Amino acid sequence: MSTQRELDDLVKAGYEHGFVTQVESDTLPPGLNEDTIRFLSAKKKEPEWMLEYRLKAYRHWLTMEEPDWAHLKIEPIDYQAISYYSAPKKAADGPKSLDEVDPELIETYNKLGIPLEEQKALAGVAVDAVFDSVSVATTFREELAKAGVIFCSISEAVHQYPELVKRYLGSVVPHTDNFFACLNAAVFSDGTFVYVPEGVRCPMELSTYFRINEAKTGQFERTLIVADKGAYVSYLEGCTAPMRDENQLHAAVVELIALEDADIKYSTVQNWYPGDEQGRGGIYNFVTKRGDCRGDRSHISWTQVETGSAITWKYPSCILQGDDSVGEFYSVAVTRGHQQADTGTKMYHIGKNTRSTIVSKGISAAHGQNAYRGLVRMGAKAENGRNHTQCDSLLIGDKCGAHTFPYIEVRNPTAKVEHEATTSKISEDQLFYCRQRGLTEEDAVSLIVNGFCKEVFNELPMEFAVEARKLLNITLEGAVG
Amino acid sequence: MITAELQKSWAASLLEGAAGTAAAPWLEELRGQAGALIDCLPPVNRKQEAWRYTNVEPLLKESFQPVVQRPSGYGGEAPEAIGPHRLVFVDGWFMPELSDTALLPEGVTAGSLDEAIAAGDERVKNRLGSVADPGEHLFAALNTALINDGLFLHLPAGVKLESPVELFWLNSGGDAARLAQPRNLVILEPGAEAVLVEHHLPGAAERYLHNGVTEIVLDPGAKLDHYRIQDESEQAWHLSRIALDQGDGSRYHGITLAFGGRLARTEYHGLFTAEEAACTLRGLYTVGNDQLQDFHLDVRHDVPRCSSREQFKGLLHGKGRAVFDGRILVAQDAQKSDAELTNDNLLLTRNAEVDTKPQLEIYADDVKASHGTTVGQLEADQVFYLRARGIDERRALHMLCEGFAAEIIEHIHLESLREQALARLRQTLGEL
Amino acid sequence: MLSIKNLHVEVDGKEILRGLDLEIGTGEVHAIMGPNGSGKSTLSYVLAGREGYEVTAGEVLFEGRNLLEMEPEERAWAGIFLAMQYPVELPGVNNMSFLRESVNAVRRARGEEELDAVSFMKRVREKAELVKLPDKLLKRSVNAGFSGGEKKRNEILQMALLEPKLTILDEIDSGLDIDALRVVAEGVNALRGPERSFLMITHYQRLLDYIEPDHIHVLAQGRIIRSGGKELALELEEKGYGWILEEEAAA
């Protein structure tokens, strides 16, 4: 066990993105009631129908019970102690161009390595950066506009594209769906709206970086992506949050809608603050993500690399309604310190010849607990539905846990479901072999872990894959028991 | 949905009829505690993970008559056994006149639990209730709250039985639907070896509830092969819970073949508290119209170097439904555990349904643990291959189903029982 | 014995065979060669009656009977045997029981008496010896966990037991080393006779060194584009398929 100390050092490796930006904020005092929602809605100058939607959700939320924590150890959340609105002051009226953006914000994004400036963005990434709750800068909108792609904040979309928002908002994740989605519907602050018109292949990868900055602010992002018939879009979501002592709640909702022959690829790299070694602080990440393959031959693919947050509770799902539609879920989830992750997917096969693939790779180190929880449902009309699920767990150290909870429901005899799960560790033999061939232990672990995650990384767009690999290496450096 | 009130009132109606029938004061106490527990247990409805897919509401809408005295018989002959040791139970009560235990070696106890308790048998007093937790759910508590009779099997250290001990569970008819409530205690002392065979049959009844709990204690080095063929009537409700306590280096080899019952649930609860123990649990289930077969496994590895293998296969036809819920837990100290869980289901008809949930909870890193699940229909390629060799479609289907089932049945180490099982399977396949 | 006229076959809406003609007389051995994707395996599956192959035009007569109207098992009873390129695995189905089931089904259909266990066993052992299939494989599940060569020998064993009139060997040589190929070829040659016909589908000339055909056909783009004697195989071996395809295109 000569490696234990190195392992501990590395597991303790500091959170790289733990700095706080000094910006004056316009923050609502903590608390939640109908007035909070009216204030929030007024602040955003929302039309009446939007306020009504929020209030309806809020009233329903009051009737709901907080979910029973599936395999998670969690401190109770005081919803009255959270502030439901926080906006950097100078941005409250919305910047017209990058020049108007607070230079300190730009500096923050630079530290995170986000290519916000146009030069950098020439690499082909358009960024809708979300700083706490308000969208502060959007790049490349004009170029996208030429292709007819709408890419803006959801607040803006409420004003400019009310018909599209009304038609699709809440159509995949209704406000009644679950406790956190309901809360989100009531208090969502901002988020991203994407509409790709019929037959258009979005000319670049779209990307949003989320960042939770203000202490004790909950973040309630709302993302809505619609790909019309035959359209294609690839969307990247990256998240970082500074170090904080108190747990912060993040309850986002992401809705994807793919019409006939449309294709949506949604990639996430999440490295929010996981809390310290003793498990103090860190983000509670309770996100509802769901895609609806509404049209025939549509395709939705979720790829996620989850390395952050104290608690992650998310199940990016696909409703496969259209005949011949395809849903995919590729996930790498890493837990170390006292992190807990409960993640997976739900594949609802409704249409004929629908296919889904699930590849889940869980890596647990130190006291981390990692659970895959997934549902595959073959409805009575899902003729020739196919699912293949592979869940692999890698344990690093003897204090962590890896769990698999698949639910498989089959109502159609022509459907075929296959599920496999394995658990393994990095063996002394593997390490010795690599070291004997001249690799350092760190390199060896990195090599083995990256090999373990390869199927998932292959699904990420190139730039993201590189970042994900780097992130994984930082997270797990030397983590060998 | 089943409410706490419905659960309480249903249990109360059953407990009423059986009050004051315990054979010893300590049993009265054990029963009383379990009875009191029922009021605190959550209702067995879909909000409980263990009952998520199994709706027992229709069962709790039925009333049953507990059988508090040994019945006179069931109106039939003693069934034919494959070996010399036959124990017959009617409505959960041991029937000495239908049984034959004359050829059991000296020192072996096989017979009535009720009699052993009445005779002040310390072995029963010490171990009864120590393996199966009555707090698991309503039915486990109910069984304990109503303990009267059942099997008591005890093998002294080093005794190796050559022939199987064969149990026949039968039911007497009558106007009211009866509740058979056997409580079984099996103790194998160090190095003892036995084969236990159970046949669950309707006897003279059609509608009844069998709610059995079996506690099995395997001392170090003991070996038990335990085969169960559940062939209850189509109108019957069947609930069985088998709880294991395994000592160092002991081996348990269990197979349940489930054919009968309108709702049949089999639960295995394995707990390794001593090293180098091994347990294999296998099951085959067939379901047809209006039938539900439900299997629950909960295997806990609490200490290092134990192995468990769980393999369950289901053939579903008609409007049959199957539920499989298997959980393997490997605790933090249980290094070098080896656990493998598989569940395969064949859907033979349009309206069959299956819900399966194979789970792994792993808290130790140096373990081998895996699970695999499949649901599908017969492979078209396989059917074609057989037909291309001149075998007609129906026969091809039967052969492939038999082949599918054979992977469970072949693990029965008694040839005559294997043949019985195959014949029973063919009977079901013949109806397809 | 077999007469195929203007056969058109579609798979998933795509036309694979486009007007194939072929006549195989009693006692003849024919070989069909052709590049990948020319439709060779499709032809063998259509003749054996596998689902998923839609005949859109043409006819196939076997001893004067319309083959296309028959179920797969009826074709087997009539005497057609397909040795598959990738024999299917049947987990849990005992090989010996399967062989007996198959042999007796075919015997029943032919009005012959079923074989009792003893004489059947004797016959299987005899034939298994011929194809050098180890005894232990007879006790295992059909093809499950068999090596490529063992699967092929198991196919030839079945052929020897069923004594078909027309045997279709679909790439029987694929994945076999020389020794295994020789064993398989011996099994086939032992069955050759004036009453039996063979259709070999292969990619390589190599097989034809061991099982000598009377006629060779080249299948390309869904049709027989060239037929000839043994010399054609040698020519193909030397020059490949390109020249025939070019000539065909020119014509």
Side-chain angles (χ1 to χ4, degrees):
Chain A
M1 304 306 270
S2 64
T3 58
Q4 186 63 47
R5 197 183 316 134
E6 285 168 53
L7 158 65
D8 290 345
D9 288 349
L10 284 155
V11 168
K12 279 181 216 153
Y15 180 67
E16 271 208 332
H17 297 142
F19 50 86
V20 177
T21 309
Q22 300 301 325
V23 185
E24 214 185 324
S25 286
D26 181 2
T27 301
L28 198 64
L32 180 59
N33 53 41
E34 290 203 7
D35 289 340
T36 321
I37 291 165
R38 286 179 205 281
F39 173 85
L40 179 78
S41 187
K43 194 85 187 165
K44 298 165 82 69
K45 302 189 182 72
E46 286 178 352
E48 189 62 22
W49 60 267
M50 199 65 247
L51 175 63
E52 282 309 312
Y53 179 84
R54 288 176 181 278
L55 289 172
K56 189 172 65 180
Y58 174 69
R59 286 166 197 149
H60 185 78
W61 183 73
L62 291 175
T63 68
M64 294 178 96
E65 273 178 42
E66 205 170 333
D68 195 5
W69 295 103
H71 224 261
L72 297 179
K73 290 196 185 79
I74 187 172
E75 292 294 317
I77 301 168
D78 181 356
Y79 295 94
Q80 296 302 337
I82 295 168
S83 166
Y84 290 86
Y85 185 76
S86 167
K89 263 189 181 154
K90 289 183 195 167
D93 298 316
K96 301 290 177 288
S97 77
L98 272 183
D99 302 339
E100 289 180 30
V101 175
D102 192 319
E104 211 169 330
L105 287 190
I106 304 244
E107 188 50 33
T108 305
Y109 292 125
N110 286 341
K111 279 194 216 168
L112 293 172
I114 303 169
L116 185 70
E117 291 130 301
E118 300 229 347
Q119 297 159 312
K120 290 182 186 172
L122 280 170
V125 181
V127 178
D128 177 23
V130 173
F131 188 92
D132 281 35
S133 309
V134 170
S135 169
V136 291
T138 304
T139 55
F140 275 95
R141 286 178 55 180
E142 279 166 32
E143 194 177 324
L144 290 171
K146 265 187 245 164
V149 175
I150 302 170
F151 179 43
C152 64
S153 75
I154 194 113
S155 308
E156 207 176 331
V158 167
H159 290 284
Q160 296 197 9
Y161 311 102
E163 290 314 310
L164 284 173
V165 175
K166 268 196 229 173
R167 189 188 311 164
Y168 293 112
L169 187 76
S171 74
V172 186
V173 181
H175 69 275
T176 50
D177 194 82
N178 68 65
F179 187 80
F180 294 105
C182 188
L183 179 62
N184 177 287
V187 303
F188 73 85
S189 37
D190 210 336
T192 305
F193 176 73
V194 177
Y195 174 79
V196 187
E198 185 168 344
V200 172
R201 197 178 161 85
C202 185
M204 62 189 78
E205 311 262 8
L206 304 181
S207 168
T208 298
Y209 269 75
F210 290 130
R211 185 160 163 72
I212 300 176
N213 195 55
E214 201 72 21
K216 285 186 190 161
T217 55
Q219 234 191 354
F220 301 95
E221 302 300 329
R222 187 91 198 183
T223 301
L224 177 58
I225 299 177
V226 182
D228 213 321
K229 290 176 187 171
Y232 165 82
V233 62
S234 166
Y235 188 87
L236 319 180
E237 173 197 45
C239 320
T240 58
M243 206 175 267
R244 283 289 172 196
D245 275 335
E246 295 90 348
N247 291 310
Q248 288 174 298
L249 175 65
H250 187 86
V253 170
V254 176
E255 296 179 278
L256 311 182
I257 294 136
L259 302 182
E260 258 172 56
D261 296 299
D263 188 348
I264 302 176
K265 191 171 172 58
Y266 193 105
S267 313
T268 305
V269 172
Q270 185 263 107
N271 65 329
W272 278 327
Y273 180 51
D276 68 12
E277 271 174 71
Q278 275 72 45
R280 281 184 305 250
I283 303 286
Y284 284 3
N285 184 21
F286 301 150
V287 179
T288 305
K289 290 182 168 178
R290 194 173 302 152
D292 189 354
C293 283
R294 214 164 273 185
D296 293 351
R297 296 168 302 281
S298 55
H299 177 200
I300 288 179
S301 175
W302 298 99
T303 305
Q304 60 175 27
V305 176
E306 303 280 326
T307 66
S309 295
I311 298 179
T312 296
W313 183 84
K314 64 182 271 198
Y315 314 96
S317 304
C318 295
I319 301 170
L320 303 169
Q321 291 196 62
D323 291 348
D324 301 290
S325 61
V326 177
E328 290 167 327
F329 174 74
Y330 298 94
S331 169
V332 167
V334 185
T335 56
R336 60 165 194 172
H338 285 80
Q339 277 177 284
Q340 303 172 59
D342 195 301
T343 184
T345 182
K346 295 176 185 181
M347 294 290 176
Y348 299 94
H349 290 252
I350 298 167
K352 288 179 195 139
N353 303 316
T354 47
R355 281 171 289 143
S356 64
T357 302
I358 299 171
V359 177
S360 165
K361 305 279 181 178
I363 301 163
S364 313
H367 295 87
Q369 297 294 331
N370 211 325
Y372 167 83
R373 188 180 302 276
L375 168 73
V376 174
R377 177 179 293 161
M378 292 287 174
K381 291 177 182 156
E383 292 295 305
N384 298 313
R386 291 285 179 272
N387 165 268
H388 187 267
T389 302
Q390 177 73 47
C391 294
D392 298 317
S393 303
L394 190 67
L395 292 139
I396 306 177
D398 57 5
K399 306 262 183 314
C400 52
H403 319 300
T404 324
F405 306 104
Y407 294 73
I408 298 160
E409 305 175 357
V410 183
R411 308 274 173 277
N412 186 305
T414 63
K416 192 167 172 178
V417 179
E418 290 169 330
H419 174 102
E420 288 172 75
T422 65
T423 302
S424 58
K425 65 173 224 164
I426 297 180
S427 74
E428 296 295 327
D429 288 352
Q430 286 171 313
L431 283 179
F432 173 73
Y433 184 85
C434 293
R435 296 174 77 180
Q436 210 284 317
R437 297 292 182 271
L439 273 75
T440 65
E441 184 155 281
E442 248 172 56
D443 289 344
V445 170
S446 159
L447 195 74
I448 293 166
V449 169
N450 272 294
F452 177 75
C453 299
K454 200 170 160 194
E455 277 169 277
V456 176
F457 288 163
N458 285 346
E459 294 298 319
L460 287 170
M462 182 81 89
E463 309 87 321
F464 241 38
V466 172
E467 191 183 329
R469 259 181 218 116
K470 256 165 52 188
L471 197 58
L472 192 68
N473 288 350
I474 294 167
T475 313
L476 288 171
E477 269 169 347
V480 185
Chain B
M1 200 164 71
I2 294 170
T3 59
E5 287 67 39
L6 173 61
Q7 173 163 312
K8 268 189 233 176
S9 63
W10 185 75
S13 70
L14 294 166
L15 292 174
E16 234 169 66
T21 57
W26 65 264
L27 180 62
E28 191 64 55
E29 199 186 325
L30 185 69
R31 285 173 41 154
Q33 283 165 358
L37 200 57
I38 291 174
D39 290 349
C40 322
L41 289 173
V44 282
N45 60 30
R46 68 184 138 81
K47 287 199 171 170
Q48 303 297 316
E49 270 300 307
W51 300 91
R52 183 188 178 98
Y53 295 115
T54 311
N55 180 13
V56 285
E57 192 168 359
L59 170 61
L60 267 59
K61 294 270 166 74
E62 302 263 336
S63 57
F64 298 95
Q65 179 94 52
V67 183
V68 295
Q69 279 183 335
R70 173 165 292 125
S72 54
Y74 78 105
E77 300 287 303
E80 199 178 317
I82 51 182
H85 319 309
R86 176 182 61 214
L87 285 84
V88 178
F89 295 80
V90 174
D91 301 333
W93 289 81
F94 179 60
M95 307 299 290
E97 59 278 22
L98 295 173
S99 304
D100 189 349
T101 56
L103 292 176
L104 279 169
E106 211 168 312
V108 172
T109 311
S112 162
L113 181 82
D114 182 57
E115 277 172 21
I117 293 169
D121 196 316
E122 287 291 314
R123 298 170 301 188
V124 177
K125 189 179 168 185
N126 290 340
R127 297 313 301 254
L128 194 71
S130 70
V131 186
D133 174 12
E136 192 65 34
H137 51 60
L138 166 68
F139 302 103
L142 184 70
N143 178 282
T144 306
L146 289 173
I147 292 177
N148 275 323
D149 202 8
L151 166 76
F152 176 49
L153 175 66
H154 181 274
L155 264 70
V159 171
K160 296 180 167 69
L161 285 185
E162 275 173 27
S163 306
V165 174
E166 218 171 341
L167 314 179
F168 292 87
W169 301 98
L170 306 169
N171 300 275
S172 66
D175 296 336
R178 298 195 172 186
L179 166 63
Q181 260 275 134
R183 177 64 163 231
N184 309 312
L185 178 62
V186 176
I187 302 172
L188 267 58
E189 286 195 354
E193 292 180 16
V195 177
L196 184 61
V197 178
E198 294 186 53
H199 302 270
H200 291 266
L201 298 162
E206 280 192 355
R207 275 180 67 243
Y208 52 90
L209 165 61
H210 178 102
N211 180 34
V213 172
T214 303
E215 294 183 277
I216 297 176
V217 180
L218 299 182
D219 283 343
K223 287 183 188 167
L224 180 68
D225 282 5
H226 187 186
Y227 306 123
R228 309 173 65 251
I229 301 183
Q230 185 273 97
D231 196 7
E232 304 279 20
S233 111
E234 282 174 11
Q235 296 298 314
W237 310 83
H238 175 101
L239 302 164
S240 290
R241 186 169 174 80
I242 297 118
L244 303 167
D245 179 356
Q246 291 194 243
D248 274 29
S250 63
R251 299 277 177 279
Y252 176 81
H253 176 60
I255 299 182
T256 293
L257 308 179
F259 298 106
R262 62 191 288 186
L263 182 151
R265 177 170 168 122
T266 306
E267 301 177 3
Y268 278 105
H269 180 77
L271 175 62
F272 293 115
T273 54
E275 298 191 13
E276 309 277 356
C279 152
T280 61
L281 304 176
R282 288 192 170 83
L284 170 71
Y285 44 93
T286 65
V287 280
N289 275 337
D290 307 315
Q291 244 191 324
L292 171 67
Q293 294 285 4
D294 182 4
F295 274 85
H296 282 248
L297 317 179
D298 187 7
V299 177
R300 282 187 62 120
H301 290 251
D302 273 8
V303 295
R305 283 182 286 280
C306 290
S307 73
S308 70
R309 171 83 177 94
E310 290 82 15
Q311 184 189 19
F312 287 77
K313 303 188 92 172
L315 283 166
L316 294 87
H317 61 97
K319 287 183 187 159
R321 274 198 62 207
V323 176
F324 177 83
D325 185 347
R327 171 173 175 255
I328 295 176
L329 186 147
V330 178
Q332 197 174 316
D333 296 329
Q335 297 293 2
K336 310 271 179 206
S337 291
D338 186 344
E340 193 186 341
L341 167 66
T342 56
N343 174 232
D344 299 307
N345 297 277
L346 265 185
L347 301 182
L348 300 170
T349 52
R350 194 69 244 175
N351 296 311
E353 290 182 13
V354 63
D355 297 298
T356 164
K357 215 174 96 185
Q359 309 165 62
L360 292 177
E361 270 184 65
I362 313 292
Y363 295 92
D365 64 337
D366 191 9
V367 298
K368 277 209 299 209
S370 65
H371 67 218
T373 303
T374 61
V375 181
Q377 55 187 356
L378 288 172
E379 296 287 339
D381 276 356
Q382 297 182 341
V383 177
F384 169 70
Y385 189 78
L386 289 167
R387 294 179 72 189
R389 296 296 176 262
I391 296 163
D392 69 54
E393 198 169 357
R394 192 177 143 84
R395 184 66 200 133
L397 177 101
H398 288 185
M399 283 176 74
L400 291 169
C401 288
E402 268 181 36
F404 179 82
E407 291 182 330
I408 299 298
I409 293 176
E410 71 189 14
H411 293 280
I412 297 176
H413 300 143
L414 291 173
E415 199 189 344
S416 50
L417 192 66
R418 226 169 25 236
E419 275 165 16
Q420 271 183 36
L422 205 55
R424 179 60 188 83
L425 174 70
R426 285 183 179 141
Q427 184 192 324
T428 295
L429 293 176
E431 290 160 13
L432 295 184
Chain C
M1 178 174 281
L2 183 75
S3 165
I4 304 175
K5 287 204 177 79
N6 189 35
L7 185 65
H8 288 255
V9 175
E10 284 184 7
V11 179
D12 291 331
K14 195 175 160 228
E15 190 163 53
I16 306 289
L17 297 185
R18 304 167 182 187
L20 185 137
D21 295 294
L22 182 66
E23 295 286 335
I24 297 179
T26 304
E28 294 175 357
V29 177
H30 290 239
I32 289 192
M33 305 184 72
N36 283 329
S38 56
K40 300 193 300 288
S41 284
T42 297
L43 175 63
S44 66
Y45 281 132
V46 169
L47 294 178
R50 193 182 193 209
E51 271 174 47
Y53 297 82
E54 201 195 339
V55 176
T56 50
E59 65 166 18
V60 180
L61 298 179
F62 180 67
E63 294 190 316
R65 293 170 68 191
N66 182 352
L67 194 69
L68 300 177
E69 278 180 356
M70 293 157 72
E71 295 294 328
E73 60 268 33
E74 291 174 328
R75 301 182 199 207
W77 300 340
I80 289 183
F81 181 90
L82 169 63
M84 294 186 200
Q85 186 182 358
Y86 303 108
V88 178
E89 298 189 4
L90 304 175
V93 178
N94 176 275
N95 203 15
M96 190 66 106
S97 323
F98 160 72
L99 293 171
R100 190 165 166 216
E101 194 94 34
S102 165
V103 167
N104 281 337
V106 171
R107 291 180 69 93
R108 267 199 309 276
R110 290 179 189 159
E112 295 166 2
E113 236 176 82
E114 293 188 20
L115 292 175
D116 63 66
V118 176
S119 47
F120 174 74
M121 207 86 106
K122 193 165 157 264
R123 186 175 297 204
V124 171
R125 293 254 149 76
E126 206 174 279
K127 305 284 186 192
E129 177 72 37
L130 184 75
V131 297
K132 301 196 166 50
L133 190 76
D135 215 35
K136 65 174 198 300
L137 295 185
L138 294 172
K139 292 175 188 153
R140 295 236 303 258
S141 296
V142 181
N143 295 331
F146 286 25
S147 71
E150 287 166 348
K151 282 182 186 172
K152 295 291 166 75
R153 275 182 269 166
N154 201 28
E155 293 290 282
I156 300 303
L157 169 65
Q158 292 171 37
M159 176 195 76
L161 286 166
L162 294 175
E163 300 177 333
K165 292 176 184 161
L166 172 67
T167 299
I168 304 159
L169 301 161
D170 188 2
E171 308 244 355
I172 195 74
D173 50 334
S174 72
L176 292 187
D177 61 32
I178 288 292
D179 291 333
L181 182 59
R182 192 172 289 132
V183 169
V184 166
E186 276 167 17
V188 173
N189 288 329
L191 204 68
R192 275 179 86 155
E195 299 303 313
R196 297 186 206 291
S197 308
F198 290 85
L199 176 60
M200 289 188 281
I201 290 175
T202 181
H203 205 72
Y204 302 104
Q205 148 75 22
R206 189 178 74 155
L207 176 68
L208 310 185
D209 294 340
Y210 294 91
I211 308 170
E212 222 173 274
D214 304 311
H215 302 274
I216 291 177
H217 311 275
V218 176
L219 178 64
Q221 287 146 13
R223 294 189 307 122
I224 302 281
I225 55 168
R226 182 71 53 105
S227 297
K230 276 165 281 186
E231 69 291 347
L232 182 57
L234 295 170
E235 208 168 351
L236 286 170
E237 178 87 344
E238 219 171 278
K239 301 199 241 169
Y241 295 104
W243 63 279
I244 308 185
L245 294 175
E246 276 163 29
E247 279 185 25
E248 174 72 8

